[in-house]
Structures are given as structure tokens and as C-alpha cells.
Amino acid sequence: MAPSAATPARYYDGETAQVLEVGVRPTAGELILFRPADSSIVARWPVNETAVLGDGSHEGAPPIVRRGGEARLVIEDPEQRRQLAALIPHLAALAEVPASAGRRIAALGASLAVLVAAFWGVIDYGTEYAAPWLPYSLQVKLGETVYEELVADKDECQGQRGLAAINDLANELARAAGYPHEVTVHVIDGGPVNAFTLPGGILVFYSDLFEQAKNSSQVAGVLAHEIGHVVHHHPTKGIVRAYGVDLLMKLVSGGYSDLLNTLTSGGNILLAMRNGRAFEREADATGVALLEKLGLRADGVSSFFEQMMEKEPKDAASAAGIWSSHPPTQERIEATKRPPTGRPAFSTANWKALREVCK
Amino acid sequence: MGELYAIYLRHVVLMVLTLGWSRFWGRTRLRRYLWNHLSILGDRFEYRGRGRELLIGFLLAMVMLAGWAGLMWLAWVYLFHEKPFATFGMFDIFSLSVVMIGFPLAYVGHYAGLRYKLSRTRWRGIRCGLAGSAWRYGVVATFLTFANMCTVQLLTPVVTVNLARPRISNARVGTLPLAFVGSAGDVYGRYLGYYFLNIVAWLAAIAAAFAIGGSTADKFGLTSDDLLKLFTTPSLRTVLVAAAVAVGVYLLFSLLILPLRCWWQAYWFRYLVSHSRAGNVLFATAITTRQMWGFLVLNYLIVLLTLGLGWPWVMHRTLRLIAGELWLYGAPDGASVRQRTDGGSPFGEGLLDMFDVSGL
Ligand SMILES: [Zn+2]
């Protein structure tokens, strides 16, 4: 390139919104901006006071400025920007050509896939180990809040003897599993036929379950299953995972999109279902093992499920019960099948008291 | 578009790595790209915001929220003497108060965010800006939105015109102010037409949904019992069936109702643009219902179906739409448009960031 050749550029003076088509001629120490028509000088910028704003991968045409001023010089043609940069080291940024977009997209896409998989893995397996470390008082607070919400308009049963019986057994089972905290069983009057576990070792039974149960070992089976959820910290893990997935979706959408909230809830349902199956299997196994460890009759889980299978729910109330959170499947019945031997979990008197806990 | 994709993907990767804290810098980079790839009269816009300004704005908003929580706590202790009345606890008071102030604050944040973005925007080296009070805008917007709700949306033209006016006529490029000369009366006729056609369309869609739903159920011999079972013992099949039904209902409603909405939105946008001016520069657009469909509906679907990864594509489409459909008549007298000497908003878009309403 001949040193006399000038680069065409647009010049904004920084004081008004006028545009000037100028020629730029670099000399040893200066950038000389002049009107091409009559070669009159518009501005002389000392080279070591010039700078480039931005870069070639974000800006379409990064403006050149004289430091401290608001005037700008824009060279639209990338080739001419490159040539100018070659002459003036201060403007080297003008020549920066980003790596091909395709290659960067491939690399970034691959790292994103790896990151999402890793994040998912942390959520999925990390909670396995992290959930028990969540301060216990916090878990209790969480569980209590949810419980208050759930039973706001329902009656809690107060039969002292029945409550004592089921709480004693629950704590005996939890201790047998090495669970270091006290668990609490609440009984709510009515249906559906269901029981569930909240964070902080809070168990909730509906009294209809006691009525539907054929014998005390079925109730003990369900209780042992719920204790299985408690000792594996399933409720806390479930919540932590739901939040984790929520966060992941927000991050992957670049923090932009509220639209994705809809999808997030969909993702959470899928996760809950997936978690659900794994959690149920784990709770089944632990429940049965705990009953056997204490020498109690352990056929209750499978026989209760069998009974539930036989009379499929015909009304919405029972369908919303044990079926929704603990779908009885042939697989689960097979896995928990045990002989009807062992000590009964409740004495006859306690069993009677439990059945009358809401009276 | 490849460049934009690379910038966006980099942003997303950093978001996952930093658990979202990189968003201030990521947004800034994206804006730099978008601004500089949009030009008017051959001159590119320039975005000179900094990521740390957005971070400071966010932190300020957090401090304000914490202050508010502290205030509520004091009220709880000294006014209510920690006694819940009618099962109304500390947490309820706080969340209720946040909802009460959150609604107006979202508008305040919107205006403040627009001011921030304009103050960091340059055209021909001249800083843009937005005058007016964000708080005043928040109060007016809250009042108008509430009034509109009370009148079953019949005040929509009044609301949209009165919310558009301050945002346009307070905006300026250097010393050159923009102006908006629209009035609600102009658009009321079209709006009422849209309003009643909308009601008719909803009725038609509901009737059609029932007819289709009933006949499908008959055809497959489904009873309500079967349906119940479908949802109480969910399987992959149930999920797929439910998804198919959802898509069907969505299509039905979108075919009847969304075109109407796009028709109104396209009209309103044409009105908005053609009643705005900057000095002796007049604006115009002939954006069609079909283009509005592409902008509102297709863009939404792209983002949704790509789990957000189609966002750069949507931005690219939007840039193209603006470039193709925004027409200018006349040229500004460059010499008379001067740089203003006052700075503009010093901090980022804290409130906006917190309520997450910023599209860009
Ligand atoms: Zn279970």
C-alpha cells in the first residue's frame, strides 16, 4: 500500500450530529483527517491518543476515538480497517478478526452440552449427599410450613393413645435405620387413602387409610415405607432438585425468557415422576428391611398394594390418594413380598386405639 | 447471525458456569452487537454500557428490597407486636407488601431501564437520553392499568397512548427531542372492532373445542372414568396424549384468536410509528398483520421450541424486520442537533433486572 493512499471514513465531531465523509491519512505521529474534495484538514489526532472502542466480534464497525474526546471515526470496510491497523499499532484492535463463528459455535455448543450434563449430574447425585447436610431446623421449618398449608381447612385427629402408638412405632423404625432425629406422625380426619412425608421428619396419614387397611401390618408397612422416605431425605431432595432444575432452565435461557417458565414446570413434573419411581423403590426396600430388622411382620407393604390393585379407584377422591403418590405396580408388589410371619407391629389395644384416633 | 449466535452461546455457557452472575456482562455484549448492527441513515448505533453498571443497579435493588424487608420486620414487631391476626403472619405481610409495591415498581423499573439504555446509546457520536420521572410514569401506569382492569379492558387505547407518549416524547438524541402526536380517539374505532371480534372468536373457539372434544371421546369410546384413570396412573402414553390434546387446543385457539391480536397490534404499531417524529424526520411503517404474526407468534414459538437457544435467531429476525419496515422521511439538520452536557442515569437497571421484564 502506498503511504499516500487515504482511507475513506465517516467522521462525527462529537458536538453535533453532522456527518463528514473524510479521508484518513496516517503519518508518523498523527492521523490526519481531511476533506477529500479540497484536502482541507478536519482534525489531526496524535496516534498515541487514539483508541478503538469495542472489537470486531461485537461491533460491526468499531469506532476510533481520540481519548478524552467524543468525536468518532468509523471505517466501514473491514479490509481498510485491517490495513490501517497494520500501519498504526495503537489501532491493532481494528484488525482483530474473530475465529470463524461456526467453529466457535461448535465449541461453545459442545461445552454447553457438557456443562448442562454436569449441572444435571450435580443436581441429581449431589442432592443425594447434600440434602442431609441442610440444617435440620430449616428442614423442620419447611416441613411445618407446608403442613400448615395442607391442613389449614382439615381436622387433625387428637386420639392420644392412637397417636402415641403410631409415633412410637415410627420412631422405633427411624432409630433402627440410624436416623438421628425425632419423627412426628400427624393424622388427618378423612380421606383420601394416603400417607406422605414432608421435610424434617413430618409424616402425615389420612384416617381413611386406617379404615381401609385389613390389618395392622398393612398400616405398619405403609408407615415403614414412609420412614424409608424420611431416612433417605426424599422430600428435601425432591425440593432441592426441583429448584435446581428451575435454576438450570433459567440459566440456559440466558436469563431472558419468561416463556420458559411453562416448560420449567413441565420439566419439574417429569423430574418428579422420575424421582418418584426411584424414591418409591428405595423407600419400599428400606421399609421392608426395617420391619424385618425389628422382627416385625413385613408382609404389609405388598398386601396393601395388592388390595389397592384389586379395587381400582372409581372416584376422584381415592384416585387422588395413594394412587397418585404411590402407584401400586406388580413390580413393587413382587419386590416387597414377604411371608406373614413375625411379631405384629401394634398390640390389639393399640390397633383399636389407632383405628379410633379420630373419634 | 453466526456472530450473534457465538456471542449468545458464550453468554449462556458463562451463565451456567457462574450460576447467573455473568448476566450483566453477557447482556452488555449482546446489546453492543445488536446496537451496532442497526443503523439509521447509514450511521450505526453504538452501545457503551458496562456490565458493572448493571451489577451495581442490581445490587442497589437488592439493598432496597432488604431495606423493605427490614421495615416490614419492624412493623411486624412494633405495630403488630408479633401477633398474627386471622392467620396473617410475618411472611404474609412481607409477600403482600411486595406484591403491592412490586406492580408499580415494575413500571418504574421499565422506565428507568429505558432511560439507562438510551443514556448508553450513541448515534453519530451523540448520546441519546430520556427525560421525565420514572416514578411519575410508574404511578400513571399503575393507575391506568388498574382502571383498564376495572373496565374489562375497554380503556386499552387510552392506556396504550398515554403510556407510549412519555416514553417517546421524553426521548431525545442529544438536543433533538422526539415527539408523539397520537391520541386515543384515533384508534378507538379499530379497538372496539377488535374487542368485539375477539369475544366472538372466543365463543367460536370454545364451541369448537367442545364439539371436537366430544366427538373424539365418542369415537374412541372414552368415558370420564377412563379419562380419570389416564391421569391418576400417568404413563408415557398419557403424557403424549395430553401433549397432543394441548397442542390441538393451542392450535385451535391460536388460529382463531391470535390473528385478531396480530391484526390489532400491527395497526397499533403503524399508528405509533407514523405519529412519532424527531424534528423534521418523520417515521412510517407498513408492517402487516402477517409480519406481526411472524414477530409475535413465530418468534414466541421459536424460543419455546428451542428451549431458548433460538433467541439469537429471533433477534436477527427482529433486526431484519426493523431494517426493512421502519422508513424515515427527511433528514435531521445535523448541525443543529448538539451533544448534551448532562450525563444520564449513573447506574444500571436494578429494578428492571430484578423484575426480569427486560426483553433486551
Ligand atoms: Zn412413598
Side-chain angles (χ1 to χ4, degrees):
Chain A
M1 179 184 137
S4 60
T7 311
R10 280 168 98 77
Y11 174 75
Y12 312 125
D13 61 21
E15 284 164 20
T16 68
Q18 289 180 100
V19 192
L20 225 48
E21 299 284 354
V22 297
V24 180
R25 180 172 293 132
T27 66
E30 279 181 330
L31 272 189
I32 298 183
L33 319 180
F34 62 94
R35 285 192 184 81
D38 55 2
S39 294
S40 62
I41 289 184
V42 173
R44 306 167 77 117
W45 286 359
V47 161
N48 51 16
E49 286 179 18
T50 57
V52 176
L53 295 179
D55 56 61
S57 54
H58 294 88
E59 275 74 13
I64 305 165
V65 294
R66 178 179 180 178
R67 257 183 253 126
E70 303 214 64
R72 273 139 168 77
L73 192 64
V74 176
I75 300 168
E76 278 292 331
D77 181 33
E79 178 54 27
Q80 282 175 328
R81 285 203 297 269
R82 207 186 55 72
Q83 286 174 3
L84 189 65
L87 292 173
I88 300 168
H90 266 90
L91 303 180
L94 281 182
E96 271 171 26
V97 186
S100 104
R103 203 174 311 150
R104 273 187 296 156
I105 290 171
L108 288 166
S111 15
L112 182 62
V114 170
L115 274 175
V116 167
F119 196 97
W120 184 274
V122 169
I123 295 172
D124 208 20
Y125 296 101
T127 46
E128 197 69 36
Y129 303 99
W133 294 101
L134 210 68
Y136 188 69
S137 59
L138 201 75
Q139 298 189 41
V140 173
K141 198 146 217 155
L142 195 65
E144 275 170 356
T145 315
V146 178
Y147 178 70
E148 308 271 296
E149 292 286 321
L150 281 172
V151 299
D153 54 344
K154 300 197 182 73
D155 291 325
E156 200 183 333
C157 302
Q158 305 290 352
Q160 291 300 318
R161 181 120 197 238
L163 281 177
I166 196 164
N167 271 288
D168 285 349
L169 180 58
N171 279 293
E172 202 181 330
L173 288 163
R175 270 197 304 279
Y179 189 70
H181 308 284
E182 174 94 10
V183 296
T184 317
V185 185
H186 297 279
V187 180
I188 293 172
D189 197 8
V193 178
N194 200 8
F196 55 88
T197 306
L198 297 173
I202 296 170
L203 274 63
V204 182
F205 275 72
Y206 287 95
S207 67
D208 277 10
L209 190 140
F210 303 145
E211 253 151 57
Q212 295 268 325
K214 260 192 279 189
N215 54 45
S216 69
S217 79
Q218 289 192 339
V219 171
V222 174
L223 182 66
H225 168 94
E226 295 305 326
I227 293 293
H229 283 311
V230 172
V231 301
H232 291 297
H233 305 274
H234 286 162
T236 314
K237 280 178 197 169
I239 289 173
V240 172
R241 280 177 201 194
Y243 274 110
V245 170
D246 200 56
L247 177 64
L248 181 64
M249 294 296 283
K250 281 214 177 79
L251 295 176
V252 168
S253 73
Y256 273 108
S257 180
D258 289 332
L259 313 177
L260 289 175
N261 287 355
T262 11
L263 279 176
T264 313
S265 43
N268 275 341
I269 291 169
L270 281 183
L271 188 81
M273 277 172 67
R274 204 193 80 81
N275 264 344
R277 299 233 169 97
F279 283 178
E280 291 313 315
R281 244 179 265 125
E282 206 175 15
D284 280 350
T286 305
V288 171
L290 286 177
L291 290 169
E292 286 180 324
K293 189 173 172 189
L294 292 177
L296 300 171
R297 227 179 111 170
D299 65 327
V301 179
S302 72
S303 86
F304 188 71
F305 281 139
E306 239 164 7
Q307 185 187 323
M308 287 286 114
M309 281 282 263
E310 271 161 28
K311 39 174 209 162
E312 282 184 27
K314 283 279 179 264
D315 60 294
S318 53
I322 207 113
W323 278 73
S324 61
S325 50
H326 303 85
T329 62
Q330 208 55 50
E331 182 209 338
R332 291 181 66 188
I333 293 172
E334 292 306 324
T336 53
K337 221 169 203 120
R338 295 293 183 277
T341 52
R343 192 156 59 77
F346 294 101
S347 69
T348 320
N350 277 349
W351 175 231
K352 187 164 174 291
L354 190 56
R355 288 179 70 110
E356 288 169 359
V357 70
C358 297
K359 297 275 151 58
Chain B
M1 189 166 74
E3 281 301 327
L4 182 56
Y5 246 101
I7 296 169
Y8 181 72
L9 274 180
R10 180 189 153 154
H11 165 54
V12 171
V13 165
L14 287 175
M15 284 285 282
V16 176
L17 271 179
T18 62
L19 295 181
W21 283 95
S22 69
R23 68 178 175 280
F24 313 106
W25 292 270
R27 275 185 186 189
T28 301
R29 285 166 184 279
L30 284 161
R31 283 181 194 164
R32 275 170 55 199
Y33 179 92
L34 294 171
W35 265 235
N36 210 237
H37 284 79
L38 194 66
S39 50
I40 279 186
L41 300 172
D43 298 293
R44 295 169 185 269
F45 285 94
E46 202 188 314
Y47 182 77
R48 291 267 79 89
R50 309 293 297 264
R52 79 169 86 99
E53 293 169 346
L54 292 183
L55 171 68
I56 291 170
F58 172 76
L59 293 178
L60 281 180
M62 282 294 141
V63 168
M64 276 168 65
L65 193 73
W68 183 259
L71 216 64
M72 286 298 105
W73 184 77
L74 286 179
W76 172 241
V77 171
Y78 291 104
L79 289 179
F80 299 104
H81 303 288
E82 300 188 44
K83 273 197 241 10
F85 56 95
T87 71
F88 208 74
M90 161 75 197
F91 192 70
D92 300 282
I93 291 181
F94 181 67
S95 40
L96 184 74
S97 75
V98 164
V99 170
M100 298 265 288
I101 62 164
F103 195 67
L105 274 190
Y107 285 112
V108 175
H110 214 114
Y111 199 87
L114 184 61
R115 184 189 339 262
Y116 172 77
K117 272 180 281 202
L118 281 174
S119 73
R120 298 300 183 269
T121 300
R122 284 168 188 257
W123 182 71
R124 290 187 177 175
I126 299 294
R127 269 190 310 274
C128 300
L130 183 72
S133 155
W135 294 102
R136 194 187 131 79
Y137 178 83
V139 169
V140 171
T142 307
F143 171 75
L144 285 176
T145 309
F146 184 71
N148 200 19
M149 275 196 299
C150 296
T151 53
V152 283
Q153 309 291 321
L154 276 169
L155 288 181
T156 301
V158 177
V159 176
T160 41
V161 164
N162 281 294
L163 293 191
R165 187 178 295 118
R167 280 184 292 173
I168 295 174
S169 56
N170 283 333
R172 46 183 165 65
V173 181
T175 52
L176 174 71
L178 270 64
F180 179 65
V181 290
S183 78
D186 293 347
V187 293
Y188 241 109
R190 179 73 73 115
Y191 179 73
L192 289 179
Y194 161 68
Y195 189 86
F196 288 105
L197 280 175
N198 207 17
I199 293 175
V200 172
W202 270 100
L203 291 176
I206 290 168
F210 267 104
I212 294 170
S215 70
T216 351
D218 282 350
K219 199 154 86 198
F220 294 106
L222 287 170
T223 63
S224 55
D225 246 23
D226 291 330
L227 282 179
L228 189 68
K229 200 161 38 172
L230 217 57
F231 288 104
T232 46
T233 51
S235 61
L236 187 63
R237 193 174 146 268
T238 326
V239 174
L240 288 180
V241 167
V245 169
V247 168
V249 169
Y250 181 79
L251 281 179
L252 180 71
F253 276 77
S254 58
L255 283 178
L256 280 166
I257 286 150
L258 290 176
L260 263 181
R261 189 170 174 78
C262 293
W263 174 69
W264 159 253
Q265 283 292 337
Y267 170 80
W268 164 246
F269 193 69
R270 289 195 299 267
Y271 182 85
L272 191 74
V273 170
S274 59
H275 287 74
S276 300
R277 44 186 289 202
N280 52 1
V281 179
L282 305 179
F283 300 100
T285 178
I287 190 168
T288 60
T289 302
R290 192 196 161 94
Q291 284 169 319
M292 195 46 95
W293 174 272
F295 178 66
L296 291 177
V297 183
L298 294 186
N299 283 355
Y300 180 94
L301 285 179
I302 288 172
V303 172
L304 202 67
L305 295 179
T306 58
L307 292 172
L309 289 179
W311 191 86
W313 183 18
V314 165
M315 278 332 295
H316 188 75
R317 285 166 51 90
T318 307
L319 280 183
R320 254 196 351 229
L321 186 69
I322 296 174
E325 286 302 317
L326 181 65
W327 308 329
L328 273 72
Y329 296 97
D333 173 16
S336 70
V337 178
R338 306 194 65 81
Q339 188 86 272
R340 288 180 64 105
T341 41
D342 53 348
S345 57
F347 305 117
E349 311 161 10
L351 287 174
L352 246 196
D353 201 79
M354 208 168 64
F355 291 101
D356 211 20
V357 288
S358 92
L360 260 177

